[in-house]
Amino acid sequence: MGLLFLNLLDFSNMVNYGHENKYEQHLVFSVLKYIDTYYISATLEDFCRENHLKTYTVSRLLKKHTAKTFKELLKERKLQQAAYLLRNTTLSTEKIFHIIGYENSSFFHKIFREKYGKTPKEYRFQ
């Protein structure tokens, strides 16, 4: 639960507070909480179905308040978790990318390197 609040704090600086609509801000934080909790298998469609919302509406509000899409936020959360596991466990890289919900090793390595400028192995031993 503590990790949830740390991640919400990380994302909260992206939310546009200048807008008067508290409903929109609450909805954005709900999506961020959903991503933080269910990042392994989270989808925008599932969130919207559970909350009786249209995907277009949620997508538009996320982009408006965070400047990122649902997929970008989800990828960021997965990579945060991968970085945490690399630094704080002895799990293999293969096990880690499966734990965070990726199936393809080369894709995981590519996006990890784009985000952190290092391979997962280099990141672990820096």
Side-chain angles (χ1 to χ4, degrees):
M1 192 66 157
L3 188 58
L4 165 68
F5 291 116
L6 289 175
N7 283 315
L8 285 175
L9 286 175
D10 285 345
F11 286 126
S12 68
N13 67 341
M14 294 185 294
V15 176
N16 176 6
Y17 287 107
H19 197 273
E20 295 294 320
N21 193 330
K22 297 292 184 196
Y23 169 78
E24 290 181 3
Q25 291 174 3
H26 175 73
L27 180 59
V28 169
F29 277 111
S30 294
V31 174
L32 294 176
K33 182 179 176 186
Y34 171 80
I35 289 171
D36 191 63
T37 304
Y38 302 105
Y39 65 89
I40 295 169
S41 60
T43 67
L44 178 60
E45 291 75 17
D46 285 348
F47 176 84
C48 291
R49 186 174 38 257
E50 290 170 15
N51 293 282
H52 310 288
L53 299 165
K54 296 190 183 296
T55 56
Y56 171 78
T57 302
V58 175
S59 293
R60 185 180 53 80
L61 290 176
L62 280 175
K63 191 71 169 173
K64 175 181 175 182
H65 288 279
T66 69
K68 294 187 179 195
T69 66
F70 183 90
K71 285 185 178 185
E72 290 169 332
L73 292 166
L74 181 61
K75 180 175 77 169
E76 192 168 310
R77 175 62 182 102
K78 287 182 177 199
L79 291 175
Q80 284 177 340
Q81 186 64 22
Y84 173 83
L85 292 171
L86 285 166
R87 285 276 172 88
N88 296 292
T89 71
T90 58
L91 295 170
S92 70
T93 302
E94 182 176 343
K95 186 126 180 116
I96 289 172
F97 78 76
H98 283 294
I99 287 172
I100 64 168
Y102 285 119
E103 301 289 324
N104 185 314
S105 168
S106 59
F107 177 71
F108 169 71
H109 279 80
K110 176 183 178 246
I111 63 171
F112 191 91
R113 186 178 195 101
E114 286 172 1
K115 169 87 175 160
Y116 294 103
K118 300 173 183 343
T119 66
K121 184 177 181 178
E122 292 169 338
Y123 185 87
R124 172 174 268 162
F125 297 113
Q126 73 176 13

